[in-house]
């Protein structure tokens, strides 16, 4: 937890261990994973000439998970210039960074270079990164072509990246292909059924939507509930969608109503595409208002002093509506809001996000 991270890092710094390459690399990794990429860079810089391949890889990966793709690629160039040869893990880090930032040409270049220049054969992890990069950029046929060229068996990460991209770009044909591969590899993962169902819904294929729901019911699959966590004074507060279990829920909901009104005045329109297709618009908007990340953010705002950075952890991917809403909330309340979802970090500040709406 963040509080324990702060305690551990402070102890190491007081003991003068942060310049040790192993301790320093651990600090880089720790800071990145708790949302403090600037602190990670300072720890990285303190290592000086002591940096090893793990140090470089940790910094590249850290920049990538925070959406700083250019910085990740720059560190990668620095590493090569310093004479340190990248390994398979480093290439996973740089390809993932390119994917998070939409750096298509850079990703293509390094995927080819790892074999031609560095004599490293791409593994399934590298294919997962490049398929994700190409797919999210809309190059679905190219991504599928790479999967068909793989010398090893594509895993759930590879097919899952393609399926997610098919949802984004509304490609039913490739969506069906990737989903059925995933049903074979991991038949108990309900997320794949939900994604294919949503692809069908976007295409207006309601009979197929019902077929997916019936299949999930037959197999006893239930979508895991989304939740968001906020740490306050060493205590973790957990919120589910529409949650009223928190002792301050009345205060939270009242403030969220006020905040929503201010957002509407500023031009916010709920993105009801994030909600099930078979409920009316009013129900969709109501459901969006009480998503777990909105409740967590509202609670953090009313529980901390003005100007305090808010940190939220979500177990699932943040939805499009919450992403748009939190950008606006950050501007209206003058806070930086750092949200860690299942895919990456989002730094919301002054009405924008570090991901540049590419996630």
């Amino acid at each position: 937890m963040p509080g324990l991270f702060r305690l551990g890092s402070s102890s190491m710094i007081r003991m003068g261990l942060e310049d040790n390459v192993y301790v320093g690399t651990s600090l880089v990794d720790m800071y990145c994973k708790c949302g403090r990429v600037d602190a990670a860079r300072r720890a990285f810089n303190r290592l000086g000439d002591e940096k090893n391949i793990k140090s470089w890889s940790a910094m590249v990966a850290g920049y990538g998970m925070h959406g700083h793709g250019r910085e990740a690629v720059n560190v990668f160039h620095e590493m090569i210039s310093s004479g340190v040869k990248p390994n398979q893990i480093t290439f996973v880090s740089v390809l993932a960074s390119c994917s998070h930032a939409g750096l298509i040409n850079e990703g293509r270049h390094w995927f080819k270079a790892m074999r031609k220049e560095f004599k490293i054969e791409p593994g399934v992890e590298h294919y997962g990164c490049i398929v994700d990069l190409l797919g999210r950029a809309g190059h679905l046929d190219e991504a599928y072509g790479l999967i068909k060229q793989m010398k090893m068996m594509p895993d759930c990460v590879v097919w899952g990246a393609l399926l997610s991209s098919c949802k984004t770009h509304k490609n039913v044909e490739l969506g069906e292909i990737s989903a059925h591969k995933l049903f074979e590899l991991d038949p108990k993962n309900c997320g794949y059924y939900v994604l294919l169902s949503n692809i069908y819904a976007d295409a207006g294929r309601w009979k197929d939507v019902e077929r997916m729901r019936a299949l999930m019911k037959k197999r006893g699959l239930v979508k895991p509930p989304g939740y968001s966590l906020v740490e306050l004074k060493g205590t973790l507060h957990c919120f589910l969608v529409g949650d009223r279990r928190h002792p301050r829920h009345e205060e939270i909901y009242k403030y969220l109503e006020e905040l929503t009104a201010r957002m509407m005045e500023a031009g916010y329109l709920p993105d009801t595409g994030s909600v099930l297709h078979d409920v009316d618009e009013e129900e969709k908007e109501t459901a969006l208002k009480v998503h777990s990340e909105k409740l967590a953010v509202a609670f953090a705002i009313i529980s901390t002093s003005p100007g305090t950075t808010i940190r939220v952890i979500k177990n699932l991917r943040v939805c499009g509506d919450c992403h748009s809403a939190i950008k606006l909330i950050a501007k209206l309340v003058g806070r930086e809001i750092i949200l860690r979802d299942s895919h990456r970090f989002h730094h919301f500040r002054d009405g924008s996000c570090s991901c540049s709406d590419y996630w």
Side-chain angles (χ1 to χ4, degrees):
M1 301 291 45
L4 294 177
F5 289 151
R6 288 194 294 271
L7 178 61
S9 62
S10 298
S11 299
M12 285 186 278
I13 290 171
R14 284 198 303 270
M15 295 170 66
L17 295 174
E18 74 274 17
D19 294 333
N20 176 281
V21 65
Y22 301 107
V23 175
T25 299
S26 296
L27 281 174
V28 171
D29 183 61
M30 180 193 72
Y31 279 132
C32 287
K33 288 178 178 176
C34 64
R36 301 180 61 190
V37 68
D38 291 338
R41 182 63 197 232
R42 290 193 293 271
F44 177 77
N45 289 341
R46 280 196 296 267
L47 291 173
D49 294 333
E50 297 299 315
K51 302 182 190 75
N52 60 21
I53 185 63
K54 293 183 179 179
S55 311
W56 288 103
S57 298
M59 196 67 250
V60 172
Y63 271 134
M65 72 174 71
H66 286 270
H68 304 311
R70 290 291 177 190
E71 290 87 342
V73 172
N74 288 341
V75 170
F76 187 67
H77 280 293
E78 289 177 35
M79 182 194 72
I80 294 173
S81 298
S82 73
V84 177
K85 185 178 178 180
N87 60 18
Q88 287 187 326
I89 295 174
T90 319
F91 274 109
V92 171
S93 298
V94 75
L95 290 173
S97 299
C98 290
S99 178
H100 282 308
L103 303 179
I104 304 169
N105 292 332
E106 288 87 345
R108 285 185 179 126
H109 168 76
W110 290 117
F111 183 74
K112 294 175 181 176
M114 64 182 293
R115 179 188 288 122
K116 291 184 177 179
E117 296 181 30
F118 298 94
K119 311 305 178 185
I120 296 175
E121 193 66 27
V124 68
E125 301 92 347
H126 306 99
Y127 277 101
C129 292
I130 195 69
V131 167
D132 186 54
L133 168 64
L134 294 171
R136 287 202 286 155
H139 300 280
L140 296 173
D141 290 333
E142 183 180 353
Y144 183 47
L146 275 177
I147 293 175
K148 290 191 290 186
Q149 294 174 17
M150 290 176 64
K151 297 179 180 179
M152 70 290 292
M153 182 73 71
D155 65 2
C156 291
V157 174
V158 174
W159 286 116
L162 184 61
L163 178 61
S164 181
S165 298
C166 288
K167 167 64 175 68
T168 300
H169 297 286
K170 306 183 190 308
N171 188 311
V172 177
E173 181 181 356
L174 285 181
E176 289 180 324
I177 292 172
S178 51
H180 288 297
K181 292 290 185 180
L182 287 162
F183 295 163
E184 295 174 3
L185 292 169
D186 189 7
K188 295 296 184 181
N189 190 324
C190 71
Y192 306 138
Y193 299 82
V194 172
L195 270 175
L196 183 57
S197 177
N198 289 338
I199 291 172
Y200 285 141
D202 285 336
R205 291 172 54 169
W206 302 110
K207 289 184 179 179
D208 288 316
V209 171
E210 290 302 322
R211 181 170 56 84
M212 282 296 103
R213 291 182 180 177
L215 185 59
M216 289 177 63
K217 185 176 181 179
K218 179 181 178 181
R219 296 183 177 180
L221 303 177
V222 180
K223 182 180 178 181
Y227 62 81
S228 296
L229 301 173
V230 174
E231 182 193 19
L232 187 64
K233 297 180 180 179
T235 301
L236 275 178
H237 300 261
C238 180
F239 297 90
L240 302 173
V241 61
D243 205 338
R244 292 186 178 273
R245 299 173 302 163
H246 196 278
R248 296 178 63 188
H249 72 269
E250 291 185 1
E251 187 180 356
I252 294 169
Y253 274 77
K254 181 180 178 182
Y255 179 72
L256 194 54
E257 284 292 334
E258 296 171 359
L259 197 55
T260 301
R262 291 175 61 190
M263 291 162 58
M264 292 290 192
E265 290 176 2
Y268 164 72
L269 292 174
D271 178 9
T272 54
S274 304
V275 191
L276 291 173
H277 290 260
D278 56 355
V279 297
D280 63 35
E281 290 300 310
E282 186 176 351
E283 287 181 292
K284 289 179 181 181
E285 292 185 17
T286 300
L288 289 173
K289 287 180 183 178
V290 292
H291 274 192
S292 67
E293 51 267 62
K294 290 192 181 80
L295 295 174
V297 167
F299 167 72
I301 293 172
I302 64 176
S303 303
T304 56
S305 57
T308 304
T309 297
I310 292 169
R311 300 176 189 273
V312 176
I313 299 173
K314 183 175 173 64
N315 68 320
L316 302 177
R317 186 179 180 183
V318 62
C319 78
D321 178 76
C322 285
H323 191 270
S324 298
I326 296 173
K327 282 197 300 182
L328 186 52
I329 290 171
K331 182 177 182 179
L332 291 174
V333 302
R335 304 282 196 106
E336 180 180 9
I337 302 172
I338 302 175
L339 171 65
R340 174 69 163 104
D341 71 5
S342 61
H343 283 63
R344 62 183 297 164
F345 279 92
H346 298 266
H347 294 250
F348 299 94
R349 188 188 296 117
D350 298 326
S352 62
C353 179
S354 60
C355 75
S356 300
D357 298 335
Y358 189 90
W359 86 101

